[in-house]
Amino acid sequence: GMEVRVSNSSKKGKHGYASKEMQEGGAGNLVVPHFVTTNGASFFLTTSEPSVFDLRHDDWFSVRVQSSVLKGTWIAANSALEAMSIHASLQGRVKKMPMWTQRNGAMLGLSGGTFTVRRIHKALRERGCPISGVVISDWTGIKPKANRMWYNWVLERELYPNWKHLVDDLENAGINVGLYVNPCIDEIPPHLRSGRRYIFGEAEDNGYFIKDPNTKQVYNFGTESAHCGVVDMTNQDAVNWFKETIIQNEMLGRAGASFWMADTNFDAPIGAKYKCDPDGGRGLSVVNRFPQDFAKVNRDAIRDAGREGDSFFFASSGF
């Protein structure tokens, strides 16, 4: 429970910080305000504000939440396994993976363009290496001087010419194609917009980004010269747009993906302006929940597209 970027999973005798903003050493990947004891006692919060669990005492514990309201659930079971089973019945279980994921084969992460992907696939095939899936993380192209992909969520035809043929060839070899996505969107410089769909402009024009509370403009997650906005997951119109335009149309549709990594390994700003909080001041309730909200967008996109039987996503963060 609590934060998960530590070397020891046991929290006995320690403080546990259930917040991406409060963890020592930077943001963690997973924030879970929940603990289970070996004798079956368990407690978890159902509020999302940052919290601190004090487990330093033998016979009692305390929880401090940065909110005027604390909501939680206490489980009294006969064993840790029973407590976890009860917790799963209350919170829900992970759906079964598609059958194709059970094939005997590696899941590879490849990048570098059509030629590179084909060359590596050929080399591995000639050596008898079984492969069941390939994640092509730079499917949107490489951002100059940034050493990372463009957060534009449209297929880059220059880096990946004949994309459909590549996907068809891999699928004919029994290999499913995966991608990468996150809720950030880059502002592409005017001289590079020719021939590209300008996703940043679409989101900005419709008010889909998290806002700076002072300037009322897009909250910049990039640099002064290279702006990057983050889609507001508390804005239902923005959620529907991201789900339909990016995940369903671009990724499942045009790119032909059947799985992907949904990444939210960054801190949603506490002081920003969100749709659910137009006057500001409620950012504490958003920061931990943001990865969960983004995961729901991805899950709903698969469900609404009727692809639950053959598609899935995996997340880098959670709550």
Side-chain angles (χ1 to χ4, degrees), residues 67-317:
S67 171
S68 60
V69 177
L70 186 154
K71 295 182 180 179
T73 299
W74 175 262
I75 297 174
N78 295 315
S79 66
L81 180 60
E82 183 184 0
M84 291 303 297
S85 179
I86 295 172
H87 178 267
S89 69
L90 296 172
Q91 299 295 94
R93 298 181 183 273
V94 177
K95 291 183 178 296
K96 291 183 178 180
M97 297 286 280
M99 287 300 297
W100 66 263
T101 63
Q102 307 309 305
R103 295 195 298 255
N104 181 27
M107 288 281 193
L108 301 180
L110 300 180
S111 59
T114 298
F115 175 78
T116 300
V117 171
R118 286 190 179 278
R119 175 176 57 80
I120 295 175
H121 169 235
K122 179 182 178 182
L124 292 173
R125 184 185 60 199
E126 290 175 347
R127 288 164 174 78
C129 177
I131 305 170
S132 60
V134 170
V135 177
I136 301 177
S137 59
D138 61 349
W139 64 286
T140 59
I142 300 299
K143 186 176 182 179
K145 301 180 181 180
N147 195 32
R148 68 161 173 81
M149 64 186 297
W150 276 113
Y151 298 158
N152 194 47
W153 315 127
V154 176
L155 182 64
E156 173 55 73
R157 300 290 182 178
E158 293 182 7
L159 186 61
Y160 286 98
N162 301 315
W163 170 269
K164 187 177 186 306
H165 292 303
L166 173 64
V167 173
D168 289 345
D169 289 346
L170 290 172
E171 289 185 344
N172 289 335
I175 300 172
N176 289 64
V177 173
L179 305 176
Y180 168 93
V181 71
N182 67 52
C184 303
I185 301 179
D186 283 322
E187 180 180 24
I188 298 177
H191 68 282
L192 294 177
R193 294 176 194 171
S194 177
R196 297 175 186 259
R197 183 175 180 179
Y198 188 35
I199 297 292
F200 184 96
E202 294 179 29
E204 184 178 33
D205 291 345
N206 287 284
Y208 293 157
F209 284 127
I210 295 171
K211 300 292 182 61
D212 186 303
N214 298 315
T215 66
K216 311 302 181 184
Q217 301 300 311
V218 176
Y219 194 104
N220 184 22
F221 281 73
T223 64
E224 185 174 345
S225 60
H227 290 185
C228 178
V230 175
V231 177
D232 186 350
M233 293 297 140
T234 73
N235 182 336
Q236 191 57 49
D237 290 335
V239 164
N240 293 337
W241 171 82
F242 196 97
K243 178 181 69 174
E244 297 167 5
T245 299
I246 294 176
I247 299 178
Q248 293 179 342
N249 295 344
E250 294 294 338
M251 296 171 63
L252 287 170
R254 292 185 177 89
S258 55
F259 71 107
W260 59 88
M261 176 181 181
D263 188 12
T264 48
N265 192 23
F266 62 89
D267 291 335
I270 288 178
K273 181 180 178 181
Y274 298 87
K275 181 72 172 181
C276 71
D277 182 27
D279 299 322
R282 292 176 54 197
L284 285 172
S285 66
V286 176
V287 61
N288 280 340
R289 201 178 66 235
F290 196 88
Q292 177 179 292
D293 291 343
F294 187 58
K296 184 178 186 301
V297 175
N298 287 265
R299 183 194 66 192
D300 290 350
I302 291 175
R303 182 201 62 203
D304 294 349
R307 297 287 300 273
E308 286 186 307
D310 68 343
S311 299
F312 74 96
F313 75 95
F314 57 100
S316 65
S317 301

Side-chain angles (χ1 to χ4, degrees), residues 38-51:
T38 54
N39 63 7
S42 178
F43 178 80
F44 64 93
L45 290 175
T46 54
T47 47
S48 60
E49 288 82 3
S51 58

